[in-house]
């Protein structure tokens, strides 16, 4: 039996004004998998997450989450749907006026009527899962970047979502924190039976933990496959991306007129 | 030359259209905040928390400023009134100027620069660090959870602060004229009580400060929510909060005064 | 989050604010002297009210017994209709005499009530029948000059 599909993205297009970010992207993600979305900076990865979360509306195509077309839902239904989603923002986006404990407890207090004693147990369990049970009394300002990311991770799994989206979870972390976050993503996904979408451009770390990879370039899917297929691929774009080559299908130079005419060499020589 | 004039006129037109646009957007946001206030009223703990930051933390500046303003009023009023031999009216002068005008207006100006700017900076930074987006993704409406409690805290604390400012001012005037200069204490209070009317002076002063509270709080939360999510954006929004609120306070003061004291004196 | 200390401070703040409002109303303002008490309304027609204003005191034997609440111009009698509210503690006979007086030479104008001897008392909404207009300085000087001129004319004959 093939695994059940959780998210279906079909011909998704999106543009900011006249600038089109996504031009007809299609992908499917099944339950219990870790899927990576890779691409250069500004290729529309984060926008894709926003489309799945329903914070922006596509100009064409649709995102289907759990058999609901996201952008057709009304506000209440959308908010109900979002309770099944957790999202880890690029720099954690912890609430700076709340302590670590209150940050993790935030959704439980907003969305459930659980008694405070039960919330306490749940929060400590979530914090224990990311190894920060002892830091529950700290304020976000007192945490290191890696710890803040882990607290944000604990917060995003607070209500046991069916989908967790990670927006650049590896940015700006030291190698130890980086592997910690990487293994946490994998372990939490397996332990909770959730689906994870990891938006990243950290190739080496993400290829270790994901089940499937999509490459986005110029608003379309340039390549896709399992990590094994991807690292053996001969497609020039993927090869350049995976191996971090400076020049290739993604040029080093921003489009410009010919170098010698920009420096007016002809005029000077003439 | 003509080109420069045309571009100048175009610039003015552009700015006018732009500010009208922003005003409309601000008005819509204001209505939105009011509509989403049910959460803050149901969970009043959220408002109490913000009352601490807007009200309690503004106490010192309000009380000290009120005292000094009252002392200056007493001193200046005494200097002028004693030329006409009516220095006993100094209590009336101090109390009326404070209760009618200076209390609500100066307290509101101080409140805008102390609490209003803090509200803007806080909301702006929450936006810049994606805390508001994160809240939205957690199916919690940031307008209801973050903006509305701060708005109501501002509205609630403003009349209290203005009243405290006036009381401190009257006390300052009393200190200078009665204790230091030696104006008769009985005359000071009786003159004041004879000429300060509860409904016309005090109630209207409280109504004024209530309107100022709405204006400052609405401007502060709007500027914060609308701030571009960058460091310059937030700092610019903070400045705009203080400038716009100050202008709004003074303009509103004129309009309210014209309404309230029409036909009297 | 130290909820308790924060709540305490906010409670303190609110108490302070309410206290300030109370001090303003009772100590600075005149709520304690008449505002909170029961009162009843009286009306009086005056030929000329001079500089009388709304909120001017109504005094009897120098004691403030009420305030002027409204001044209208009557198109039927072409005089001023002054409405005042008097504290319920103070009742006056039907033939009470109301006049507009000035406190000192340049002071504010007020209404003075001189009680008559009637048995029946004025009730809410009643009209004071005997009134005396304000003394207008210009008229007084004008009359004085006129009389003086008339005297001079007499002497010349």
């Amino acid at each position: 039996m093939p695994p059940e599909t959780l998210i279906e993205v079909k011909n998704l297009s999106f543009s900011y004004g006249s600038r089109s970010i996504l031009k007809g992207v299609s992908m499917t993600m099944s339950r219990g998998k870790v899927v990576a979305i890779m691409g250069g900076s500004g290729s529309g990865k984060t926008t894709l997450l926003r489309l799945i979360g329903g914070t922006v509306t596509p100009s064409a195509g649709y995102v289907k989450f759990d058999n609901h077309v996201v952008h057709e839902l009304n506000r209440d239904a959308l908010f109900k749907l979002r309770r099944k989603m957790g999202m880890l923002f690029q720099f954690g986006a912890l609430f700076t006026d709340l302590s670590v404990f209150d940050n993790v407890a935030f959704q439980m207090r907003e969305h459930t009527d659980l008694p405070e004693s039960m919330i306490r147990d749940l929060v400590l369990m979530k914090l224990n899962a990311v190894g920060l049970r002892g830091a529950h009394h700290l304020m976000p300002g007192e945490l290191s970047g890696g710890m803040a990311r882990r607290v944000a991770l604990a917060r995003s799994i607070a209500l046991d979502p069916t989908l967790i989206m990670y927006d650049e979870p590896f940015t700006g972390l030291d190698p130890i924190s980086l592997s910690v976050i990487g293994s946490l993503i994998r372990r939490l996904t397996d332990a909770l039976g959730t689906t994870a979408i990891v938006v990243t451009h950290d190739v080496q770390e993400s290829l270790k933990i994901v089940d499937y990879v999509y490459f986005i370039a110029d608003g379309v899917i340039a390549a896709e496959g399992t990590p094994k297929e991807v690292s053996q691929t001969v497609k020039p774009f993927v090869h350049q991306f995976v191996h971090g080559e400076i020049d290739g299908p993604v040029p080093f130079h921003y489009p410009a007129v010919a170098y010698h005419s920009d420096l007016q060499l002809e005029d000077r020589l003439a | 030359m003509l080109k420069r004039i045309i571009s100048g006129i175009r610039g003015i037109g552009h700015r006018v259209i732009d500010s009208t646009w922003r005003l409309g957007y601000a008005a819509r946001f204001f209505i939105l905040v009011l509509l989403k206030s049910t959460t803050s009223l149901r969970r009043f703990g959220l408002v109490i928390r913000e009352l601490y930051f807007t009200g309690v933390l503004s106490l010192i500046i309000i009380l000290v400023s009120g005292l000094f303003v009252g002392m200056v009023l007493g001193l200046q009023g005494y200097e002028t009134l004693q030329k006409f031999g009516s220095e006993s009216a100094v209590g009336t002068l101090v109390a009326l100027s404070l209760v009618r005008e200076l209390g609500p207006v100066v307290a509101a100006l101080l409140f805008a620069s102390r609490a209003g700017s803090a509200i803007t900076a806080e909301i702006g930074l929450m936006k810049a660090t994606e805390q508001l987006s994160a809240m939205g993704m957690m199916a919690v409406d940031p307008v209801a959870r973050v903006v509305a409690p701060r708005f109501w805290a501002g509205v609630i604390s403003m009349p209290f602060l203005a009243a405290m400012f006036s009381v401190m001012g009257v006390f300052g005037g009393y200190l200078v004229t009665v204790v230091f200069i030696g104006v008769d204490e009985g005359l000071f209070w009786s003159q004041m009580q004879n000429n300060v009317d509860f409904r016309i002076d005090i109630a209207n002063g409280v109504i004024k400060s209530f309107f100022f509270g709405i204006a400052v709080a609405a401007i502060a939360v709007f500027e914060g929510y609308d701030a571009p999510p960058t460091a310059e954006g937030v700092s610019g929004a903070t400045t705009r909060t203080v400038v716009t609120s100050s202008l709004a306070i003074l303009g509103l003061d004129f309009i309210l005064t014209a309404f309230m004291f029409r036909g009297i004196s | 989050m130290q909820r308790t200390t924060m709540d305490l401070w906010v409670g303190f703040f609110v108490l302070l604010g309410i206290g300030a409002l109370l001090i303003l109303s009772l100590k600075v303002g005149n709520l304690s002297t008449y505002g909170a008490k029961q009162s009843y309304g009286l009306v009086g027609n005056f030929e000329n009210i001079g500089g009388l204003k709304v909120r001017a005191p109504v005094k009897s034997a120098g004691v403030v017994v009420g305030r002027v609440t409204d001044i209208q111009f009557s198109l039927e009698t072409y005089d001023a209709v002054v409405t005042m509210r008097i504290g319920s503690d103070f009742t006056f006979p039907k033939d009470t005499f109301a006049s507009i007086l000035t406190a000192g030479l340049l002071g504010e104008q007020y209404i003075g009530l001189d009680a008559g001897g009637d048995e029946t008392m004025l009730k809410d909404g009643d009209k004071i029948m005997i009134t005396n207009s304000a003394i207008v300085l210009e008229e007084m000087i004008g009359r004085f000059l006129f009389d003086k001129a008339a005297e001079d004319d007499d002497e010349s004959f």
Side-chain angles (χ1 to χ4, degrees):
Chain A
M1 192 185 107
E4 190 191 342
T5 301
L6 181 69
I7 299 175
E8 186 190 353
V9 177
K10 195 90 180 176
N11 286 327
L12 194 67
S13 300
F14 180 78
S15 46
Y16 278 118
S18 59
R19 202 162 66 94
S20 53
I21 309 288
L22 297 175
K23 307 166 200 163
V25 171
S26 299
M27 44 177 76
T28 50
M29 294 160 197
S30 21
R31 281 185 197 272
K33 300 285 184 201
V34 180
V35 178
I37 299 174
M38 293 190 200
S41 307
S43 58
K45 307 180 302 274
T46 305
T47 309
L48 187 62
L49 290 191
R50 288 185 191 284
L51 284 163
I52 295 172
T55 50
V56 289
T57 315
S59 45
Y62 64 84
V63 176
K64 221 179 201 178
F65 177 86
D66 214 7
N67 293 322
H68 299 286
V69 177
V70 173
H71 71 267
E72 284 172 1
L73 294 172
N74 64 22
R75 216 186 128 73
D76 289 343
L78 182 64
F79 267 33
K80 207 174 257 173
L81 195 72
R82 280 192 197 158
R83 291 189 201 177
K84 297 183 193 164
M85 303 179 186
M87 180 146 174
L88 182 71
F89 279 80
Q90 195 160 352
F91 295 104
L94 291 176
F95 302 130
T96 39
D97 55 340
L98 299 179
S99 69
V100 166
F101 184 93
D102 291 327
N103 259 288
V104 179
F106 183 79
Q107 287 190 84
M108 303 176 191
R109 288 182 180 146
E110 293 289 332
H111 292 316
T112 66
D113 292 322
L114 294 177
E116 198 58 26
S117 61
M118 192 180 272
I119 287 182
R120 191 187 139 79
D121 294 347
L122 282 172
V123 169
L124 291 181
M125 272 165 61
K126 303 289 176 192
L127 280 173
N128 197 45
V130 297
L132 289 176
R133 185 165 40 84
H136 70 88
H137 58 280
L138 296 178
M139 293 302 281
E142 299 170 296
L143 302 175
S144 71
M147 282 160 82
R149 213 71 62 88
R150 276 148 77 186
V151 173
L153 189 52
R155 187 180 65 175
S156 59
I157 59 169
L159 289 186
D160 297 324
T162 38
L163 169 73
I164 309 176
M165 294 182 273
Y166 301 90
D167 187 4
E168 312 271 12
F170 306 118
T171 313
L173 292 184
D174 62 86
I176 301 172
S177 306
L178 202 134
S179 340
V180 168
I181 295 284
S183 72
L184 274 176
I185 291 174
R186 182 76 246 181
R187 266 171 38 208
L188 287 174
T189 310
D190 294 343
L192 302 170
T194 58
T195 308
I197 304 176
V198 185
V199 157
T200 179
H201 36 228
D202 192 302
V203 180
Q204 301 315 324
E205 188 59 38
S206 47
L207 285 186
K208 277 192 260 171
I209 57 163
V210 302
D211 299 310
Y212 205 78
V213 184
Y214 287 98
F215 280 98
I216 296 188
D218 293 329
V220 293
I221 292 180
E224 58 181 285
T226 60
K228 207 170 178 187
E229 291 166 1
V230 164
S231 45
Q232 289 165 356
T233 186
V234 288
K235 275 198 180 179
F237 167 75
V238 178
H239 192 269
Q240 183 196 359
F241 196 92
V242 171
H243 297 279
E245 290 157 354
I246 292 169
D247 216 349
V250 178
F252 169 68
H253 286 292
Y254 189 80
V257 294
Y259 197 24
H260 57 266
S261 64
D262 223 7
L263 296 180
Q264 295 166 336
L265 289 181
E266 287 98 335
D267 298 354
R268 286 187 208 172
L269 289 174
Chain B
M1 187 62 197
L2 189 69
K3 216 176 205 174
R4 198 181 289 175
I5 292 173
I6 288 176
S7 83
I9 292 172
R10 190 174 293 158
I12 292 171
H14 188 77
R15 224 178 268 177
V16 168
I17 291 173
D18 211 55
S19 12
T20 314
W21 208 311
R22 221 173 120 73
L23 185 69
Y25 179 54
R28 199 158 57 95
F29 182 73
F30 179 60
I31 303 289
L32 192 74
V33 171
L34 291 186
L35 287 178
K36 292 186 175 172
S37 293
T38 40
T39 317
S40 1
L41 299 180
R42 213 175 47 238
R43 291 173 54 192
F44 207 69
L46 295 175
V47 181
I48 286 181
R49 213 187 100 82
E50 299 309 325
L51 266 176
Y52 177 79
F53 289 107
T54 52
V56 176
L57 295 185
S58 307
L59 264 181
I60 298 290
I61 186 171
I62 291 283
L63 295 183
V64 174
S65 312
L67 188 69
F68 279 120
V69 167
M71 284 164 77
V72 170
L73 272 178
L75 213 53
Q76 292 276 20
Y78 179 79
E79 281 296 318
T80 312
L81 287 173
Q82 60 128 12
K83 288 182 192 156
F84 306 105
S86 44
E87 57 265 32
S88 57
V90 73
T92 313
L93 177 93
V94 170
L96 273 186
S97 355
L98 277 167
V99 170
R100 278 192 180 185
E101 284 297 330
L102 291 175
V105 171
V106 178
L109 290 176
L110 292 170
F111 183 71
S113 37
R114 172 65 185 80
S117 59
I119 291 174
T120 304
E122 196 187 10
I123 296 181
L125 274 175
M126 287 183 86
K127 188 185 174 192
T129 51
E130 290 190 305
Q131 293 180 45
L132 297 186
S133 317
M135 214 173 260
M137 276 306 297
M138 291 179 206
V140 176
D141 190 334
V143 174
R145 180 63 171 72
V146 173
V147 174
R150 283 167 175 75
F151 172 76
W152 284 109
V155 173
I156 292 169
S157 46
M158 189 67 257
F160 287 153
L161 289 171
M164 290 178 212
F165 185 94
S166 296
V167 167
M168 277 314 271
V170 169
F171 177 67
Y174 167 83
L175 216 60
V176 165
T177 54
V178 176
V179 178
F180 297 158
I181 299 178
V183 173
D184 183 71
E185 181 166 357
L187 276 178
F188 181 89
W189 291 116
S190 69
Q191 278 265 1
M192 189 187 291
Q193 286 173 3
N194 264 333
N195 290 292
V196 179
D197 185 78
F198 174 74
R199 194 176 58 81
I200 289 173
D201 298 317
I202 295 172
N204 278 345
V206 173
I207 291 171
K208 265 188 188 181
S209 59
F210 179 68
F211 275 100
F212 295 163
I214 293 177
V216 174
I219 291 170
V221 293
F222 172 70
E223 289 291 356
Y225 197 79
D226 188 50
T230 57
E232 306 90 68
V234 174
S235 76
T238 312
T239 314
R240 267 204 307 284
T241 293
V242 177
V243 174
T244 320
S245 329
S246 306
L247 290 177
I249 290 163
L250 297 173
L252 259 182
D253 184 44
F254 173 71
I255 295 169
L256 290 172
T257 310
F259 263 102
M260 287 168 174
F261 299 110
R262 198 177 42 179
I264 303 164
S265 69
Chain C
M1 197 62 51
Q2 296 122 330
R3 259 289 152 77
T4 48
T5 37
M6 200 176 272
D7 286 349
L8 183 70
W9 274 105
V10 173
F12 174 68
F13 172 76
V14 172
L15 279 182
L16 215 60
I18 293 172
L21 286 172
L22 278 179
I23 291 175
L24 278 187
S25 332
L26 300 178
K27 184 82 183 167
V28 177
N30 50 7
L31 192 64
S32 55
T33 53
Y34 86 102
K37 287 183 201 156
Q38 297 280 313
S39 63
Y40 64 98
L42 290 180
V43 186
N45 286 35
F46 293 87
E47 249 173 59
N48 192 330
I49 56 163
L52 188 76
K53 294 184 178 75
V54 171
R55 223 160 63 75
V58 178
K59 297 182 185 178
S60 186
V63 179
V64 177
V65 294
R67 297 264 163 188
V68 172
T69 52
D70 190 37
I71 298 174
Q72 295 287 336
F73 181 67
S74 163
L75 277 175
E76 289 156 23
T77 49
Y78 294 105
D79 56 8
V81 182
V82 175
T83 315
M84 55 202 112
R85 293 206 76 80
I86 311 292
S88 304
D89 304 356
F90 310 108
T91 51
F92 290 93
K94 262 247 146 55
D95 58 345
T96 292
F97 190 87
S99 43
I100 296 178
L101 304 168
T102 309
L105 194 59
L106 299 167
E108 59 172 0
Q109 289 188 297
Y110 64 94
I111 292 183
L113 297 181
D114 288 310
D118 204 302
E119 292 288 305
T120 47
M121 295 290 168
L122 286 165
K123 294 188 304 296
D124 186 42
D126 278 358
K127 192 167 184 175
I128 298 174
M129 300 312 290
I130 322 160
T131 61
N132 193 6
S133 289
I135 297 163
V136 179
L137 208 58
E138 297 93 306
E139 278 181 13
M140 228 167 72
I141 295 169
R143 201 173 300 157
F144 174 74
L145 288 177
F146 185 79
D147 290 351
K148 195 84 180 158
E151 271 174 37
D152 291 350
D153 285 353
D154 286 348
E155 277 168 22
S156 67
F157 278 109

